[in-house]
Amino acid sequence: MFQYIAFYKPYGVLSQFTDEGGHQGLSRFGFPKDVYAAGRLDHDSEGLLVLTNDGKFIKKLLDPAFGHPRSYLAQVEGKMTLQALKVLSAGVTIKGYKTKPCLAECLSSLPVVPERNPPIRFRKNIPTSWIRLTLTEGKNRQVRRMTAAAGFPTLRLIRVSIGKLTLNGLKPGEWKQISKKDIF
């Protein structure tokens, strides 16, 4: 029987079951046997991670040909500009690859997100901005590389949705059983 799990991956946790390089893995969260992460979030990123034992589902979820949207909240260094949002929306070239167009918007108010431990670095004279990026592809460290290419390095990154599935109701380290219908 296939299982599908929505997990709020905390900062500092790897998207694999084994601990490595001083970072804890997923084995500490009490997941059912034989489920695997459908995609990745780097240890320094937080947010929604789907786990399953359905290999065909993982392929469908990750294959860019299907274009499933993934939304991220990114706290970036500096005051975000309309020009930078246009650059992000059109796609940027990173490591010789031009990213697909995406939805990029600046948040008008601070998002309601859990405190991060440890908190991001604070610089008194450098403002930060929160943006939402919705991508249909997921290259390695793509959001961080995109914002850096636009001149706004990412300080904090939280994936808040995959398809229809959101983090609503989950706190860092919490998970719940879901169905495929919750995602597409």
Side-chain angles (χ1 to χ4, degrees), residues 80-156:
M80 181 56 65
T81 65
L82 286 175
Q83 180 59 33
L85 289 171
K86 287 178 185 176
V87 167
L88 291 167
S89 294
V92 298
T93 301
I94 49 177
K95 292 197 164 196
Y97 172 79
K98 176 143 178 160
T99 62
K100 291 183 177 183
C102 69
L103 175 64
E105 57 189 328
C106 194
L107 301 183
S108 57
S109 60
L110 293 177
V112 177
V113 295
E115 292 293 320
R116 194 184 88 175
N117 186 17
I120 65 155
R121 68 179 184 263
F122 175 74
R123 294 184 176 172
K124 185 177 176 183
N125 298 320
I126 300 176
T128 64
S129 304
W130 281 92
I131 62 171
R132 177 186 301 269
L133 291 176
T134 302
L135 312 177
T136 56
E137 62 182 344
K139 303 285 185 192
N140 183 35
R141 300 185 72 79
Q142 182 170 339
V143 171
R144 291 178 186 281
R145 289 183 172 141
M146 288 176 69
T147 63
F152 295 86
T154 295
L155 302 172
R156 186 174 182 193

